[in-house]
Amino acid sequence: MRASLRQKIIEVCNDKIAKKGPTVGLSFYAFFANKNDNPALLMEAAQWWIVTHELDHFEKAVKIKGMVTAMEQ
């Protein structure tokens, strides 16, 4: 996964957690605007979420943030 997408995921997770608490859930669509202006990036996120990790449609933001943060190390 490209670094810019990892950073966006972490930022969105941090924002959602700060606003709604540690139990907030999200889908990979949360990382994109309603207008799909970058289908390749959307498919990269979908591949990671659905195919690679077989995650449910909604997952806890803290879980996703942890997974992505672990990739950076």
Side-chain angles (χ1 to χ4, degrees), residues 22-55:
T23 61
V24 67
L26 49 76
S27 78
F28 68 88
Y29 290 113
F31 313 123
F32 300 93
N34 287 338
K35 180 180 178 190
N36 185 7
D37 57 356
N38 193 339
L41 193 60
L42 177 65
M43 291 307 295
E44 186 176 331
Q47 173 78 25
W48 181 86
W49 190 287
I50 298 167
V51 178
T52 304
H53 294 287
E54 298 179 350
L55 299 171

Side-chain angles (χ1 to χ4, degrees), residues 6-72:
R6 286 194 310 266
Q7 185 60 38
K8 177 69 174 181
I9 290 171
I10 291 168
E11 289 171 6
V12 169
C13 287
N14 284 339
D15 182 59
K16 296 281 186 186
I17 293 165
K19 288 180 180 175
K20 298 190 178 193
T23 61
V24 67
L26 49 76
S27 78
F28 68 88
Y29 290 113
F31 313 123
F32 300 93
N34 287 338
K35 180 180 178 190
N36 185 7
D37 57 356
N38 193 339
L41 193 60
L42 177 65
M43 291 307 295
E44 186 176 331
Q47 173 78 25
W48 181 86
W49 190 287
I50 298 167
V51 178
T52 304
H53 294 287
E54 298 179 350
L55 299 171
D56 289 336
H57 184 76
F58 283 96
E59 292 287 349
K60 301 291 184 205
V62 293
K63 174 181 179 178
I64 299 303
K65 179 183 173 186
M67 291 172 72
V68 173
T69 302
M71 291 173 62
E72 293 182 325

